[in-house]
Amino acid sequence: MDLHLQNKNFLICGASSGFGNAIAKALLSEGANVYLVARREERLNEIAAQYPGRVHYLTADLKEQATIHKIMERIEDIELNGSH
């Protein structure tokens, strides 16, 4: 199924396992680029290695307010509600 996600960028939090990981892989299979945020750097690195150039990640704990600012500084052109 082509969801027209080729080369679009998405931010996924909690991406090292569970639903976040499944969402990341689904988006990647559609040709999207993903920015992953999670606490487990080793797992994020493994995911990034499977999709060279299409996965960017930040190891962070979202319980800390400074983390939100750190994430926003590192990412660009994230799809917001499907708009540009």
Coordinates of all heavy atoms in Angstrom, one line a residue:
M1 N 0.8 -1.2 0.0 CA 0.0 0.0 0.0 C 0.9 1.2 0.0 O 1.8 1.3 0.8 CB -0.9 0.0 1.3 CG -1.7 1.2 1.4 SD -2.7 1.4 2.9 CE -3.3 -0.2 3.2
D2 N 0.6 2.2 -0.9 CA 1.4 3.4 -0.9 C 0.7 4.5 -0.2 O -0.4 5.0 -0.6 CB 1.7 3.8 -2.4 CG 2.6 5.0 -2.5 OD1 3.0 5.6 -1.4 OD2 2.8 5.5 -3.6
L3 N 1.2 4.9 0.9 CA 0.6 6.0 1.8 C 1.1 7.3 1.5 O 0.8 8.3 2.2 CB 0.8 5.6 3.2 CG 0.1 4.3 3.7 CD1 0.5 4.0 5.2 CD2 -1.4 4.3 3.5
H4 N 1.9 7.5 0.4 CA 2.5 8.7 0.0 C 3.4 9.4 1.1 O 3.3 10.5 1.3 CB 1.5 9.7 -0.5 CG 0.6 9.1 -1.6 ND1 1.0 8.9 -2.9 CD2 -0.7 8.6 -1.5 CE1 0.0 8.4 -3.6 NE2 -1.0 8.2 -2.8
L5 N 4.2 8.5 1.7 CA 5.1 9.0 2.8 C 6.5 9.1 2.4 O 7.4 9.4 3.2 CB 4.9 8.1 4.0 CG 3.5 7.9 4.6 CD1 3.5 6.9 5.7 CD2 3.0 9.3 5.0
Q6 N 6.8 8.8 1.1 CA 8.2 8.8 0.7 C 8.9 10.2 1.0 O 8.3 11.2 0.6 CB 8.2 8.6 -0.9 CG 9.6 8.4 -1.5 CD 10.1 7.0 -1.2 OE1 9.4 6.0 -1.0 NE2 11.4 6.9 -1.1
N7 N 10.0 10.1 1.7 CA 10.8 11.2 2.0 C 10.2 12.2 3.0 O 10.7 13.4 3.1 CB 11.3 12.0 0.8 CG 12.2 11.1 0.0 OD1 13.1 10.4 0.5 ND2 12.1 11.0 -1.3
K8 N 9.1 11.9 3.6 CA 8.5 12.7 4.6 C 9.1 12.4 5.9 O 9.6 11.3 6.1 CB 7.0 12.6 4.7 CG 6.3 13.1 3.4 CD 4.9 13.2 3.6 CE 4.3 13.8 2.2 NZ 3.1 14.5 2.4
N9 N 9.2 13.4 6.8 CA 9.8 13.2 8.1 C 8.9 13.1 9.3 O 7.9 13.9 9.4 CB 10.8 14.4 8.4 CG 11.8 14.5 7.3 OD1 12.4 13.5 6.9 ND2 12.0 15.7 6.8
F10 N 9.1 12.1 10.2 CA 8.3 11.9 11.4 C 9.1 11.8 12.6 O 10.2 11.2 12.6 CB 7.4 10.7 11.1 CG 6.5 10.8 10.0 CD1 6.8 10.4 8.7 CD2 5.2 11.2 10.2 CE1 6.0 10.6 7.7 CE2 4.3 11.3 9.2 CZ 4.7 11.0 7.9
L11 N 8.6 12.3 13.7 CA 9.1 12.1 15.0 C 8.4 11.1 15.8 O 7.2 11.1 15.9 CB 9.0 13.5 15.8 CG 9.4 13.4 17.3 CD1 10.9 13.1 17.4 CD2 9.1 14.8 17.9
I12 N 9.1 10.1 16.4 CA 8.5 9.0 17.1 C 9.2 8.9 18.5 O 10.4 8.7 18.5 CB 8.6 7.7 16.4 CG1 8.0 7.8 15.0 CG2 7.9 6.6 17.1 CD1 8.4 6.7 14.0
C13 N 8.4 9.1 19.5 CA 8.9 8.9 20.9 C 8.7 7.5 21.4 O 7.7 6.9 21.0 CB 8.3 10.0 21.8 SG 8.6 11.7 21.2
G14 N 9.5 7.1 22.2 CA 9.4 5.7 22.8 C 9.6 4.7 21.7 O 8.9 3.6 21.6
A15 N 10.6 5.0 20.8 CA 10.7 4.2 19.6 C 11.6 3.0 19.7 O 11.8 2.2 18.7 CB 11.3 5.1 18.5
S16 N 12.2 2.7 20.8 CA 13.1 1.6 20.9 C 12.4 0.2 21.1 O 13.0 -0.8 20.9 CB 14.1 1.8 22.1 OG 13.4 1.8 23.3
S17 N 11.1 0.2 21.4 CA 10.4 -1.0 21.5 C 8.9 -0.8 21.4 O 8.4 0.3 21.3 CB 10.7 -1.7 22.9 OG 10.3 -0.9 23.9
G18 N 8.1 -1.8 21.5 CA 6.7 -1.8 21.5 C 6.1 -1.0 20.3 O 6.5 -1.1 19.2
F19 N 5.0 -0.2 20.6 CA 4.3 0.5 19.6 C 5.1 1.5 18.8 O 5.0 1.6 17.6 CB 3.0 1.2 20.1 CG 1.9 0.3 20.5 CD1 1.5 0.3 21.8 CD2 1.3 -0.6 19.6 CE1 0.4 -0.5 22.2 CE2 0.3 -1.4 20.0 CZ -0.2 -1.4 21.3
G20 N 6.0 2.2 19.5 CA 6.9 3.2 18.9 C 7.8 2.5 17.9 O 7.9 3.0 16.8
N21 N 8.3 1.4 18.2 CA 9.2 0.6 17.3 C 8.4 0.1 16.1 O 8.8 0.2 14.9 CB 9.8 -0.5 18.0 CG 10.8 -1.3 17.1 OD1 10.4 -2.3 16.5 ND2 12.0 -0.8 17.0
A22 N 7.2 -0.4 16.3 CA 6.3 -0.8 15.2 C 5.9 0.3 14.3 O 5.9 0.1 13.0 CB 5.1 -1.5 15.8
I23 N 5.6 1.5 14.8 CA 5.3 2.6 14.0 C 6.5 3.1 13.2 O 6.3 3.3 12.0 CB 4.8 3.8 14.9 CG1 3.4 3.4 15.5 CG2 4.7 5.1 14.1 CD1 2.9 4.3 16.6
A24 N 7.6 3.1 13.8 CA 8.8 3.5 13.1 C 9.1 2.6 11.9 O 9.3 3.0 10.8 CB 10.1 3.5 14.0
K25 N 9.0 1.3 12.1 CA 9.2 0.3 11.0 C 8.2 0.4 9.9 O 8.5 0.3 8.7 CB 9.3 -1.1 11.6 CG 10.6 -1.3 12.3 CD 10.8 -2.7 12.9 CE 12.1 -2.8 13.6 NZ 12.4 -4.2 14.1
A26 N 6.9 0.7 10.3 CA 5.9 0.8 9.3 C 6.1 2.1 8.4 O 6.0 2.1 7.2 CB 4.5 0.9 10.0
L27 N 6.5 3.2 9.1 CA 6.8 4.4 8.3 C 8.0 4.2 7.4 O 8.0 4.7 6.3 CB 7.0 5.6 9.3 CG 5.8 6.1 10.0 CD1 6.2 7.0 11.1 CD2 4.8 6.7 9.1
L28 N 9.0 3.6 7.9 CA 10.2 3.3 7.1 C 9.9 2.4 5.9 O 10.5 2.6 4.8 CB 11.3 2.7 8.0 CG 12.0 3.6 9.0 CD1 12.7 2.9 10.1 CD2 13.0 4.5 8.2
S29 N 9.0 1.5 6.1 CA 8.7 0.6 5.0 C 7.9 1.3 3.9 O 7.9 0.9 2.8 CB 7.8 -0.6 5.5 OG 6.5 -0.2 5.8
E30 N 7.4 2.5 4.3 CA 6.7 3.3 3.3 C 7.6 4.4 2.7 O 7.2 5.3 2.0 CB 5.5 4.0 3.9 CG 4.3 3.1 4.3 CD 3.6 2.5 3.0 OE1 3.5 3.3 2.0 OE2 3.2 1.4 3.0
G31 N 8.9 4.4 3.1 CA 9.8 5.3 2.5 C 10.0 6.6 3.3 O 10.7 7.5 2.8
A32 N 9.4 6.7 4.4 CA 9.6 7.9 5.3 C 10.9 7.9 6.0 O 11.6 6.9 6.1 CB 8.5 7.9 6.3
N33 N 11.3 9.1 6.4 CA 12.5 9.3 7.3 C 12.0 9.5 8.7 O 10.9 10.1 8.9 CB 13.3 10.5 6.9 CG 13.7 10.5 5.4 OD1 14.3 9.5 5.0 ND2 13.3 11.5 4.6
V34 N 12.6 8.9 9.7 CA 12.1 9.0 11.0 C 13.2 9.6 12.0 O 14.4 9.4 11.8 CB 11.6 7.7 11.6 CG1 10.4 7.2 10.8 CG2 12.7 6.6 11.6
Y35 N 12.7 10.3 12.9 CA 13.5 10.8 14.1 C 13.0 10.1 15.3 O 11.9 10.2 15.7 CB 13.3 12.3 14.2 CG 13.9 13.1 13.1 CD1 13.2 13.3 11.9 CD2 15.2 13.8 13.2 CE1 13.8 14.0 10.9 CE2 15.7 14.5 12.2 CZ 15.0 14.6 11.0 OH 15.5 15.3 10.0
L36 N 13.9 9.3 15.9 CA 13.5 8.4 17.0 C 14.0 9.0 18.3 O 15.1 9.5 18.4 CB 14.1 7.0 16.8 CG 13.8 6.3 15.5 CD1 14.4 4.9 15.4 CD2 12.3 6.2 15.2
V37 N 13.2 8.9 19.3 CA 13.6 9.4 20.6 C 13.2 8.3 21.6 O 12.1 7.7 21.6 CB 12.8 10.7 21.1 CG1 13.2 11.1 22.5 CG2 13.1 11.8 20.1
A38 N 14.2 7.8 22.4 CA 14.0 6.8 23.4 C 15.2 6.8 24.4 O 16.2 7.5 24.1 CB 13.8 5.4 22.8
R39 N 15.1 6.1 25.4 CA 16.2 6.0 26.4 C 17.3 5.0 26.1 O 18.4 5.1 26.6 CB 15.6 5.7 27.8 CG 14.8 6.9 28.3 CD 14.2 6.5 29.7 NE 13.2 5.5 29.4 CZ 12.5 4.9 30.4 NH1 12.7 5.2 31.6 NH2 11.6 4.0 30.1
R40 N 16.9 4.0 25.3 CA 17.9 2.9 25.0 C 18.7 3.1 23.7 O 18.3 2.7 22.6 CB 17.0 1.6 24.9 CG 16.4 1.3 26.2 CD 15.4 0.1 26.1 NE 16.0 -1.0 25.4 CZ 15.2 -2.0 24.9 NH1 13.9 -1.9 24.9 NH2 15.8 -3.0 24.3
E41 N 19.8 3.8 23.9 CA 20.7 4.1 22.7 C 21.1 2.9 21.9 O 21.1 2.9 20.7 CB 21.9 4.9 23.1 CG 22.7 5.3 22.0 CD 23.8 6.3 22.3 OE1 24.1 6.4 23.5 OE2 24.4 6.8 21.4
E42 N 21.4 1.8 22.6 CA 21.8 0.6 21.8 C 20.8 0.1 20.9 O 21.0 -0.2 19.7 CB 22.2 -0.5 22.8 CG 22.7 -1.8 22.1 CD 23.0 -2.9 23.1 OE1 23.8 -2.6 24.0 OE2 22.4 -4.0 23.0
R43 N 19.5 0.1 21.3 CA 18.4 -0.3 20.5 C 18.2 0.7 19.3 O 17.9 0.3 18.2 CB 17.2 -0.5 21.3 CG 16.0 -1.0 20.5 CD 16.3 -2.5 20.0 NE 15.2 -2.8 19.2 CZ 15.3 -3.2 17.9 NH1 16.5 -3.3 17.4 NH2 14.2 -3.5 17.2
L44 N 18.3 2.0 19.6 CA 18.1 3.0 18.6 C 19.2 2.8 17.5 O 18.9 3.0 16.3 CB 18.1 4.4 19.2 CG 16.9 4.7 20.1 CD1 17.1 6.1 20.7 CD2 15.6 4.7 19.3
N45 N 20.4 2.6 17.9 CA 21.5 2.4 17.0 C 21.2 1.2 16.1 O 21.5 1.2 14.9 CB 22.8 2.3 17.8 CG 24.0 2.4 16.9 OD1 24.0 3.1 15.9 ND2 25.0 1.6 17.2
E46 N 20.7 0.1 16.7 CA 20.4 -1.1 15.9 C 19.4 -0.8 14.8 O 19.5 -1.2 13.6 CB 19.9 -2.2 16.8 CG 20.9 -2.8 17.7 CD 20.2 -3.8 18.7 OE1 19.0 -4.1 18.6 OE2 21.0 -4.2 19.6
I47 N 18.3 0.0 15.1 CA 17.3 0.3 14.2 C 17.9 1.2 13.1 O 17.7 1.0 11.9 CB 16.1 1.1 14.9 CG1 15.5 0.1 15.9 CG2 15.1 1.6 13.8 CD1 14.5 0.8 16.9
A48 N 18.7 2.2 13.5 CA 19.3 3.1 12.5 C 20.2 2.4 11.5 O 20.3 2.7 10.3 CB 20.1 4.2 13.2
A49 N 20.9 1.3 12.0 CA 21.8 0.6 11.2 C 21.1 -0.2 10.1 O 21.6 -0.5 9.0 CB 22.6 -0.4 12.0
Q50 N 19.8 -0.5 10.3 CA 19.0 -1.3 9.4 C 18.5 -0.4 8.2 O 18.1 -0.9 7.2 CB 17.8 -1.9 10.0 CG 18.1 -3.0 11.0 CD 16.9 -3.4 11.8 OE1 15.8 -3.3 11.4 NE2 17.1 -4.0 12.9
Y51 N 18.5 1.0 8.5 CA 17.9 1.9 7.5 C 18.9 3.1 7.3 O 18.6 4.2 7.8 CB 16.6 2.4 7.9 CG 15.6 1.3 8.1 CD1 15.4 0.7 9.4 CD2 14.8 0.9 7.1 CE1 14.4 -0.3 9.6 CE2 13.8 -0.1 7.2 CZ 13.7 -0.7 8.5 OH 12.7 -1.7 8.7
P52 N 20.1 2.9 6.7 CA 21.1 3.9 6.6 C 20.6 5.2 6.0 O 19.9 5.2 5.0 CB 22.2 3.3 5.8 CG 21.9 1.8 5.8 CD 20.5 1.7 6.1
G53 N 20.8 6.3 6.6 CA 20.4 7.6 6.1 C 19.0 8.0 6.3 O 18.7 9.2 6.1
R54 N 18.2 7.1 6.8 CA 16.7 7.4 6.9 C 16.3 7.5 8.4 O 15.2 7.9 8.7 CB 15.9 6.4 6.2 CG 16.2 6.5 4.7 CD 15.3 5.6 3.8 NE 14.0 5.5 4.3 CZ 13.4 4.3 4.3 NH1 14.0 3.2 3.9 NH2 12.1 4.2 4.7
V55 N 17.2 7.1 9.3 CA 16.9 7.2 10.7 C 17.9 8.1 11.4 O 19.1 7.9 11.3 CB 17.0 5.7 11.3 CG1 16.7 5.8 12.8 CG2 16.0 4.8 10.7
H56 N 17.3 9.0 12.2 CA 18.1 9.9 13.1 C 17.6 9.6 14.5 O 16.4 9.4 14.6 CB 17.9 11.3 12.7 CG 18.2 11.6 11.2 ND1 19.4 11.8 10.7 CD2 17.3 11.6 10.2 CE1 19.4 11.9 9.4 NE2 18.1 11.8 9.1
Y57 N 18.4 9.6 15.4 CA 17.9 9.4 16.8 C 18.6 10.2 17.8 O 19.6 10.7 17.7 CB 18.0 7.9 17.1 CG 19.4 7.3 17.3 CD1 20.0 7.4 18.6 CD2 20.0 6.7 16.3 CE1 21.3 6.9 18.7 CE2 21.3 6.2 16.5 CZ 21.9 6.3 17.7 OH 23.2 5.8 17.9
L58 N 17.8 10.3 18.9 CA 18.3 11.1 20.1 C 18.0 10.2 21.3 O 16.8 9.8 21.5 CB 17.6 12.4 20.2 CG 17.9 13.3 21.4 CD1 19.4 13.7 21.4 CD2 17.0 14.5 21.3
T59 N 19.0 10.0 22.1 CA 18.7 9.2 23.4 C 18.3 10.3 24.4 O 19.1 11.2 24.7 CB 20.0 8.5 23.8 OG1 20.4 7.7 22.8 CG2 19.7 7.7 25.0
A60 N 17.1 10.1 24.9 CA 16.6 11.1 25.9 C 15.5 10.5 26.7 O 14.8 9.6 26.3 CB 16.1 12.3 25.1
D61 N 15.3 11.2 27.9 CA 14.2 10.8 28.8 C 13.2 11.9 28.8 O 13.5 13.0 29.2 CB 14.8 10.6 30.2 CG 13.7 10.1 31.2 OD1 12.5 10.1 30.9 OD2 14.1 9.6 32.3
L62 N 12.0 11.6 28.3 CA 11.0 12.7 28.1 C 10.4 13.2 29.4 O 9.6 14.1 29.4 CB 9.9 12.2 27.2 CG 10.4 11.9 25.7 CD1 9.3 11.3 24.9 CD2 10.8 13.2 25.1
K63 N 10.8 12.6 30.5 CA 10.3 13.1 31.8 C 11.0 14.5 32.2 O 10.5 15.2 33.0 CB 10.6 12.1 32.9 CG 9.7 10.9 32.8 CD 9.9 10.0 34.1 CE 11.0 9.0 33.7 NZ 11.3 8.1 34.8
E64 N 12.1 14.8 31.5 CA 12.8 16.1 31.8 C 12.4 17.2 30.8 O 12.5 16.9 29.6 CB 14.3 15.8 31.7 CG 14.7 14.8 32.8 CD 16.2 14.5 32.7 OE1 16.9 15.3 32.1 OE2 16.6 13.4 33.2
Q65 N 12.0 18.3 31.3 CA 11.6 19.5 30.4 C 12.7 19.9 29.4 O 12.3 20.2 28.3 CB 11.2 20.7 31.3 CG 10.8 21.9 30.5 CD 9.4 21.7 29.9 OE1 8.6 20.9 30.3 NE2 9.2 22.4 28.8
A66 N 13.9 19.8 29.8 CA 15.0 20.2 28.9 C 15.1 19.3 27.7 O 15.6 19.7 26.6 CB 16.3 20.3 29.7
T67 N 14.6 18.1 27.8 CA 14.6 17.2 26.7 C 13.8 17.6 25.6 O 14.2 17.5 24.4 CB 14.1 15.8 27.2 OG1 15.0 15.3 28.3 CG2 14.1 14.8 26.1
I68 N 12.7 18.2 25.8 CA 11.8 18.7 24.7 C 12.5 19.7 23.9 O 12.5 19.7 22.7 CB 10.5 19.3 25.3 CG1 9.7 18.3 26.2 CG2 9.6 19.8 24.2 CD1 9.4 17.0 25.5
H69 N 13.2 20.7 24.6 CA 14.0 21.7 23.8 C 15.1 21.1 23.1 O 15.4 21.5 21.9 CB 14.5 22.8 24.8 CG 13.4 23.5 25.5 ND1 12.6 24.3 24.9 CD2 13.0 23.4 26.8 CE1 11.7 24.8 25.8 NE2 11.9 24.3 26.9
K70 N 15.8 20.1 23.6 CA 16.9 19.4 23.0 C 16.4 18.7 21.7 O 17.0 18.8 20.7 CB 17.4 18.4 24.0 CG 18.7 17.7 23.5 CD 19.2 16.7 24.6 CE 20.4 15.9 24.2 NZ 20.8 15.0 25.3
I71 N 15.2 18.1 21.8 CA 14.7 17.4 20.6 C 14.4 18.4 19.5 O 14.7 18.2 18.3 CB 13.4 16.6 21.0 CG1 13.7 15.5 21.9 CG2 12.6 16.2 19.7 CD1 12.5 14.8 22.5
M72 N 13.7 19.5 19.9 CA 13.3 20.5 18.9 C 14.6 21.1 18.2 O 14.5 21.5 17.0 CB 12.4 21.6 19.5 CG 11.1 21.0 20.0 SD 10.3 19.9 18.8 CE 9.8 21.0 17.5
E73 N 15.6 21.2 18.9 CA 16.9 21.8 18.3 C 17.5 20.8 17.3 O 18.1 21.3 16.4 CB 17.9 22.1 19.4 CG 17.6 23.3 20.3 CD 18.5 23.4 21.5 OE1 19.4 22.6 21.6 OE2 18.3 24.3 22.3
R74 N 17.3 19.6 17.5 CA 17.9 18.5 16.6 C 17.1 18.1 15.4 O 17.6 17.5 14.5 CB 18.2 17.3 17.4 CG 19.1 17.4 18.6 CD 20.5 17.1 18.3 NE 20.8 15.9 17.5 CZ 21.1 14.7 17.9 NH1 21.1 14.4 19.2 NH2 21.4 13.8 17.0
I75 N 15.8 18.5 15.3 CA 15.0 18.0 14.2 C 14.5 19.2 13.4 O 14.4 20.3 13.8 CB 13.8 17.2 14.7 CG1 12.9 18.0 15.7 CG2 14.3 15.9 15.4 CD1 11.7 17.3 16.1
E76 N 14.2 18.9 12.1 CA 13.7 19.9 11.2 C 12.6 19.2 10.3 O 12.7 18.0 10.1 CB 14.8 20.4 10.3 CG 15.9 21.1 11.0 CD 17.0 21.5 10.1 OE1 16.8 21.4 8.8 OE2 18.1 22.0 10.6
D77 N 11.7 20.0 9.9 CA 10.7 19.6 8.9 C 10.0 18.4 9.3 O 9.8 17.4 8.5 CB 11.4 19.4 7.5 CG 10.4 19.3 6.4 OD1 9.4 20.0 6.5 OD2 10.7 18.6 5.4
I78 N 9.5 18.3 10.5 CA 8.6 17.2 10.9 C 7.2 17.4 10.4 O 6.7 18.5 10.4 CB 8.6 17.1 12.4 CG1 10.0 16.8 13.0 CG2 7.6 16.0 12.9 CD1 10.6 15.5 12.5
E79 N 6.6 16.3 9.9 CA 5.2 16.4 9.4 C 4.3 16.7 10.6 O 4.3 15.9 11.6 CB 4.8 15.1 8.8 CG 5.6 14.8 7.5 CD 5.5 15.9 6.5 OE1 4.4 16.3 6.1 OE2 6.5 16.3 5.9
L80 N 3.5 17.7 10.6 CA 2.5 18.0 11.6 C 1.2 17.9 11.0 O 0.7 18.6 10.2 CB 2.7 19.5 12.2 CG 4.1 19.7 12.8 CD1 4.2 21.2 13.1 CD2 4.3 18.9 14.0
N81 N 0.4 16.9 11.5 CA -0.9 16.6 11.0 C -1.0 16.5 9.5 O -1.9 16.9 8.9 CB -1.9 17.7 11.5 CG -1.9 17.8 13.0 OD1 -1.9 16.7 13.7 ND2 -2.0 18.9 13.5
G82 N 0.1 16.0 8.9 CA 0.1 15.8 7.5 C 0.3 17.0 6.6 O 0.3 17.0 5.4
S83 N 0.6 18.2 7.3 CA 0.8 19.4 6.5 C 2.3 19.7 6.4 O 3.1 19.1 7.1 CB 0.1 20.6 7.2 OG 0.6 20.8 8.5
H84 N 2.6 20.7 5.6 CA 4.0 21.1 5.4 C 4.3 22.3 6.2 O 3.7 23.3 6.1 CB 4.4 21.2 4.0 CG 4.3 19.9 3.3 ND1 5.3 19.0 3.2 CD2 3.3 19.3 2.6 CE1 5.0 17.9 2.5 NE2 3.8 18.1 2.1

